[in-house]
Structures are given as structure tokens and as C-alpha cells.
Short mmCIF file of all heavy atoms in Angstrom, two decimals:
data_model
loop_
_atom_site.label_atom_id
_atom_site.label_comp_id
_atom_site.label_asym_id
_atom_site.label_seq_id
_atom_site.Cartn_x
_atom_site.Cartn_y
_atom_site.Cartn_z
N VAL A 1 107.88 -2.65 -117.23
CA VAL A 1 106.95 -2.20 -116.20
C VAL A 1 107.71 -1.90 -114.91
O VAL A 1 107.49 -0.88 -114.26
CB VAL A 1 105.86 -3.26 -115.94
CG1 VAL A 1 105.03 -2.88 -114.71
CG2 VAL A 1 104.96 -3.40 -117.15
N ASP A 2 108.63 -2.80 -114.55
CA ASP A 2 109.41 -2.61 -113.31
C ASP A 2 110.26 -1.36 -113.36
O ASP A 2 110.38 -0.65 -112.35
CB ASP A 2 110.28 -3.84 -113.05
CG ASP A 2 109.47 -5.04 -112.57
OD1 ASP A 2 108.34 -4.83 -112.10
OD2 ASP A 2 109.98 -6.17 -112.68
N ASP A 3 110.85 -1.08 -114.51
CA ASP A 3 111.68 0.13 -114.64
C ASP A 3 110.84 1.38 -114.41
O ASP A 3 111.24 2.28 -113.66
CB ASP A 3 112.31 0.19 -116.04
CG ASP A 3 113.44 -0.82 -116.22
OD1 ASP A 3 113.95 -1.32 -115.20
OD2 ASP A 3 113.78 -1.12 -117.39
N MET A 4 109.68 1.43 -115.05
CA MET A 4 108.83 2.61 -114.91
C MET A 4 108.26 2.70 -113.50
O MET A 4 108.17 3.79 -112.92
CB MET A 4 107.70 2.56 -115.94
CG MET A 4 106.82 3.80 -115.98
SD MET A 4 107.74 5.33 -116.34
CE MET A 4 108.21 5.05 -118.06
N ALA A 5 107.87 1.57 -112.93
CA ALA A 5 107.32 1.55 -111.57
C ALA A 5 108.37 2.02 -110.56
O ALA A 5 108.05 2.78 -109.64
CB ALA A 5 106.85 0.14 -111.21
N ASN A 6 109.61 1.59 -110.74
CA ASN A 6 110.68 2.02 -109.83
C ASN A 6 110.94 3.52 -109.95
O ASN A 6 111.16 4.19 -108.94
CB ASN A 6 111.97 1.25 -110.14
CG ASN A 6 111.91 -0.19 -109.69
OD1 ASN A 6 111.16 -0.53 -108.79
ND2 ASN A 6 112.70 -1.06 -110.33
N GLU A 7 110.89 4.03 -111.16
CA GLU A 7 111.14 5.46 -111.38
C GLU A 7 110.05 6.32 -110.72
O GLU A 7 110.32 7.32 -110.07
CB GLU A 7 111.23 5.75 -112.87
CG GLU A 7 111.85 7.11 -113.20
CD GLU A 7 112.19 7.28 -114.66
OE1 GLU A 7 112.00 6.32 -115.45
OE2 GLU A 7 112.64 8.38 -115.03
N ILE A 8 108.80 5.89 -110.91
CA ILE A 8 107.68 6.65 -110.34
C ILE A 8 107.63 6.52 -108.83
O ILE A 8 107.42 7.51 -108.11
CB ILE A 8 106.34 6.19 -110.95
CG1 ILE A 8 106.29 6.56 -112.44
CG2 ILE A 8 105.15 6.81 -110.22
CD1 ILE A 8 105.07 6.03 -113.16
N SER A 9 107.83 5.32 -108.31
CA SER A 9 107.79 5.13 -106.85
C SER A 9 108.93 5.89 -106.17
O SER A 9 108.73 6.44 -105.08
CB SER A 9 107.86 3.65 -106.50
OG SER A 9 109.02 3.03 -107.03
N THR A 10 110.09 5.96 -106.81
CA THR A 10 111.20 6.76 -106.26
C THR A 10 110.82 8.23 -106.19
O THR A 10 111.09 8.91 -105.20
CB THR A 10 112.46 6.59 -107.13
OG1 THR A 10 112.86 5.21 -107.12
CG2 THR A 10 113.60 7.45 -106.60
N LEU A 11 110.15 8.70 -107.24
CA LEU A 11 109.70 10.09 -107.28
C LEU A 11 108.70 10.38 -106.16
O LEU A 11 108.83 11.35 -105.42
CB LEU A 11 109.06 10.38 -108.63
CG LEU A 11 108.39 11.76 -108.81
CD1 LEU A 11 109.44 12.86 -108.78
CD2 LEU A 11 107.61 11.79 -110.13
N PHE A 12 107.72 9.50 -106.00
CA PHE A 12 106.70 9.71 -104.97
C PHE A 12 107.25 9.51 -103.56
O PHE A 12 106.84 10.20 -102.63
CB PHE A 12 105.51 8.78 -105.22
CG PHE A 12 104.63 9.22 -106.36
CD1 PHE A 12 103.82 8.29 -107.02
CD2 PHE A 12 104.59 10.53 -106.79
CE1 PHE A 12 102.99 8.68 -108.06
CE2 PHE A 12 103.77 10.93 -107.84
CZ PHE A 12 102.97 10.00 -108.49
N LEU A 13 108.17 8.57 -103.39
CA LEU A 13 108.76 8.35 -102.06
C LEU A 13 109.57 9.57 -101.62
O LEU A 13 109.61 9.91 -100.44
CB LEU A 13 109.65 7.11 -102.09
CG LEU A 13 108.92 5.76 -102.02
CD1 LEU A 13 109.90 4.62 -102.23
CD2 LEU A 13 108.21 5.60 -100.68
N LYS A 14 110.19 10.23 -102.58
CA LYS A 14 110.92 11.46 -102.27
C LYS A 14 109.96 12.52 -101.74
O LYS A 14 110.26 13.23 -100.77
CB LYS A 14 111.63 11.98 -103.52
CG LYS A 14 112.45 13.25 -103.27
CD LYS A 14 113.13 13.71 -104.56
CE LYS A 14 113.91 14.99 -104.33
NZ LYS A 14 114.52 15.50 -105.58
N VAL A 15 108.78 12.61 -102.36
CA VAL A 15 107.77 13.57 -101.91
C VAL A 15 107.31 13.22 -100.49
O VAL A 15 107.20 14.09 -99.62
CB VAL A 15 106.55 13.56 -102.87
CG1 VAL A 15 105.42 14.41 -102.31
CG2 VAL A 15 106.97 14.05 -104.24
N ILE A 16 107.05 11.92 -100.26
CA ILE A 16 106.60 11.48 -98.93
C ILE A 16 107.65 11.81 -97.88
O ILE A 16 107.33 12.28 -96.78
CB ILE A 16 106.31 9.96 -98.95
CG1 ILE A 16 105.09 9.67 -99.82
CG2 ILE A 16 106.08 9.44 -97.54
CD1 ILE A 16 104.85 8.20 -100.07
N THR A 17 108.92 11.58 -98.20
CA THR A 17 110.01 11.86 -97.27
C THR A 17 110.09 13.35 -96.94
O THR A 17 110.25 13.74 -95.78
CB THR A 17 111.35 11.40 -97.87
OG1 THR A 17 111.28 10.00 -98.14
CG2 THR A 17 112.50 11.66 -96.90
N GLU A 18 109.94 14.19 -97.97
CA GLU A 18 109.98 15.64 -97.76
C GLU A 18 108.82 16.10 -96.89
O GLU A 18 108.97 16.91 -95.98
CB GLU A 18 109.97 16.36 -99.11
CG GLU A 18 111.25 16.19 -99.90
CD GLU A 18 111.17 16.82 -101.28
OE1 GLU A 18 110.06 17.26 -101.66
OE2 GLU A 18 112.19 16.86 -101.98
N ILE A 19 107.62 15.56 -97.17
CA ILE A 19 106.44 15.93 -96.39
C ILE A 19 106.60 15.48 -94.94
O ILE A 19 106.33 16.22 -94.00
CB ILE A 19 105.17 15.30 -97.00
CG1 ILE A 19 104.85 15.94 -98.35
CG2 ILE A 19 103.97 15.46 -96.06
CD1 ILE A 19 103.76 15.25 -99.11
N THR A 20 107.09 14.24 -94.76
CA THR A 20 107.29 13.70 -93.42
C THR A 20 108.28 14.56 -92.64
O THR A 20 108.08 14.86 -91.45
CB THR A 20 107.80 12.26 -93.49
OG1 THR A 20 106.87 11.47 -94.23
CG2 THR A 20 107.94 11.67 -92.10
N GLY A 21 109.34 14.98 -93.32
CA GLY A 21 110.34 15.83 -92.66
C GLY A 21 109.77 17.15 -92.23
O GLY A 21 110.01 17.62 -91.11
N LYS A 22 108.96 17.77 -93.08
CA LYS A 22 108.34 19.05 -92.74
C LYS A 22 107.37 18.90 -91.58
O LYS A 22 107.30 19.76 -90.69
CB LYS A 22 107.62 19.62 -93.97
CG LYS A 22 108.55 20.09 -95.08
CD LYS A 22 107.77 20.58 -96.29
CE LYS A 22 108.71 21.01 -97.40
NZ LYS A 22 107.96 21.45 -98.60
N VAL A 23 106.61 17.82 -91.58
CA VAL A 23 105.66 17.57 -90.49
C VAL A 23 106.41 17.38 -89.18
O VAL A 23 106.01 17.90 -88.14
CB VAL A 23 104.79 16.33 -90.80
CG1 VAL A 23 103.99 15.92 -89.58
CG2 VAL A 23 103.86 16.61 -91.97
N LEU A 24 107.53 16.63 -89.23
CA LEU A 24 108.32 16.39 -88.03
C LEU A 24 108.88 17.70 -87.47
O LEU A 24 108.83 17.94 -86.26
CB LEU A 24 109.46 15.42 -88.35
CG LEU A 24 110.38 15.02 -87.18
CD1 LEU A 24 109.55 14.35 -86.09
CD2 LEU A 24 111.49 14.10 -87.66
N ILE A 25 109.38 18.54 -88.35
CA ILE A 25 109.92 19.83 -87.92
C ILE A 25 108.82 20.67 -87.27
O ILE A 25 109.03 21.32 -86.24
CB ILE A 25 110.54 20.58 -89.12
CG1 ILE A 25 111.82 19.87 -89.57
CG2 ILE A 25 110.83 22.03 -88.76
CD1 ILE A 25 112.39 20.40 -90.86
N GLU A 26 107.62 20.65 -87.86
CA GLU A 26 106.51 21.42 -87.33
C GLU A 26 106.09 20.89 -85.96
O GLU A 26 105.79 21.66 -85.04
CB GLU A 26 105.32 21.38 -88.30
CG GLU A 26 104.11 22.19 -87.86
CD GLU A 26 104.38 23.68 -87.74
OE1 GLU A 26 105.39 24.15 -88.29
OE2 GLU A 26 103.58 24.36 -87.07
N LEU A 27 106.09 19.55 -85.81
CA LEU A 27 105.74 18.96 -84.52
C LEU A 27 106.75 19.34 -83.45
O LEU A 27 106.38 19.65 -82.30
CB LEU A 27 105.66 17.43 -84.65
CG LEU A 27 104.45 16.88 -85.39
CD1 LEU A 27 104.60 15.38 -85.60
CD2 LEU A 27 103.16 17.17 -84.62
N ILE A 28 108.02 19.32 -83.81
CA ILE A 28 109.07 19.71 -82.87
C ILE A 28 108.88 21.17 -82.46
O ILE A 28 108.98 21.53 -81.29
CB ILE A 28 110.47 19.50 -83.48
CG1 ILE A 28 110.73 17.99 -83.67
CG2 ILE A 28 111.55 20.13 -82.62
CD1 ILE A 28 111.98 17.68 -84.44
N ARG A 29 108.59 22.03 -83.46
CA ARG A 29 108.39 23.45 -83.18
C ARG A 29 107.21 23.64 -82.24
O ARG A 29 107.27 24.41 -81.28
CB ARG A 29 108.16 24.21 -84.48
CG ARG A 29 108.09 25.73 -84.30
CD ARG A 29 107.57 26.40 -85.55
NE ARG A 29 106.19 26.07 -85.80
CZ ARG A 29 105.17 26.63 -85.14
NH1 ARG A 29 105.39 27.53 -84.19
NH2 ARG A 29 103.92 26.29 -85.43
N MET A 30 106.09 22.93 -82.51
CA MET A 30 104.89 23.07 -81.69
C MET A 30 105.14 22.58 -80.26
O MET A 30 104.71 23.21 -79.30
CB MET A 30 103.74 22.29 -82.32
CG MET A 30 103.22 22.92 -83.61
SD MET A 30 101.98 21.88 -84.43
CE MET A 30 100.68 21.91 -83.19
N ASN A 31 105.84 21.46 -80.15
CA ASN A 31 106.12 20.92 -78.81
C ASN A 31 107.05 21.85 -78.04
O ASN A 31 106.90 22.04 -76.84
CB ASN A 31 106.76 19.53 -78.93
CG ASN A 31 105.72 18.47 -79.28
OD1 ASN A 31 104.56 18.61 -78.91
ND2 ASN A 31 106.13 17.43 -79.98
N TYR A 32 108.01 22.45 -78.76
CA TYR A 32 108.91 23.40 -78.12
C TYR A 32 108.13 24.60 -77.59
O TYR A 32 108.34 25.08 -76.48
CB TYR A 32 109.98 23.86 -79.11
CG TYR A 32 110.88 24.95 -78.56
CD1 TYR A 32 111.92 24.64 -77.68
CD2 TYR A 32 110.68 26.29 -78.91
CE1 TYR A 32 112.74 25.64 -77.16
CE2 TYR A 32 111.48 27.28 -78.40
CZ TYR A 32 112.51 26.95 -77.52
OH TYR A 32 113.32 27.94 -77.02
N TYR A 33 107.17 25.05 -78.40
CA TYR A 33 106.34 26.19 -77.99
C TYR A 33 105.51 25.84 -76.76
O TYR A 33 105.42 26.63 -75.81
CB TYR A 33 105.41 26.59 -79.15
CG TYR A 33 104.41 27.66 -78.78
CD1 TYR A 33 104.79 29.00 -78.71
CD2 TYR A 33 103.08 27.32 -78.51
CE1 TYR A 33 103.86 29.98 -78.36
CE2 TYR A 33 102.16 28.29 -78.16
CZ TYR A 33 102.56 29.62 -78.09
OH TYR A 33 101.65 30.58 -77.74
N LYS A 34 104.92 24.63 -76.76
CA LYS A 34 104.11 24.21 -75.62
C LYS A 34 104.95 24.12 -74.34
O LYS A 34 104.54 24.57 -73.27
CB LYS A 34 103.46 22.86 -75.91
CG LYS A 34 102.36 22.92 -76.96
CD LYS A 34 101.80 21.53 -77.23
CE LYS A 34 100.72 21.58 -78.31
NZ LYS A 34 100.22 20.22 -78.62
N ILE A 35 106.15 23.54 -74.46
CA ILE A 35 107.03 23.39 -73.30
C ILE A 35 107.46 24.76 -72.78
O ILE A 35 107.45 25.03 -71.58
CB ILE A 35 108.26 22.54 -73.66
CG1 ILE A 35 107.81 21.09 -73.94
CG2 ILE A 35 109.30 22.56 -72.53
CD1 ILE A 35 108.91 20.23 -74.54
N SER A 36 107.83 25.66 -73.72
CA SER A 36 108.26 26.99 -73.33
C SER A 36 107.15 27.75 -72.62
O SER A 36 107.37 28.44 -71.63
CB SER A 36 108.73 27.78 -74.57
OG SER A 36 109.80 27.13 -75.20
#
């Protein structure tokens, strides 16, 4: 169970990290636009 749980959670955490990164980039872009 632990092996499978670790494999799936690693897969989903990668997705969360990618989404978080994209959101952060978008926030930076939006803030840059507002400041400009």
C-alpha cells in the first residue's frame, strides 16, 4: 500500500507544483502589468 501511495502522491504532487508555478508566474505578470 505504501509503495503505491508514494507513487501516486509523487505523481499528484508534481501536478500541484506545476500548477502552483504557473499561478505564481501569472500573478507576477499581473502585478507587473498593474505597476507598469
Side-chain angles (χ1 to χ4, degrees):
V1 171
D2 287 341
D3 287 342
M4 186 59 69
N6 287 335
E7 195 169 357
I8 293 175
S9 57
T10 299
L11 174 67
F12 285 157
L13 282 172
K14 182 180 178 183
V15 173
I16 292 171
T17 301
E18 290 175 353
I19 291 171
T20 303
K22 290 177 181 178
V23 170
L24 181 60
I25 290 171
E26 182 63 17
L27 287 172
I28 293 172
R29 186 192 68 78
M30 289 174 64
N31 284 331
Y32 175 78
Y33 174 78
K34 290 178 181 177
I35 293 170
S36 300

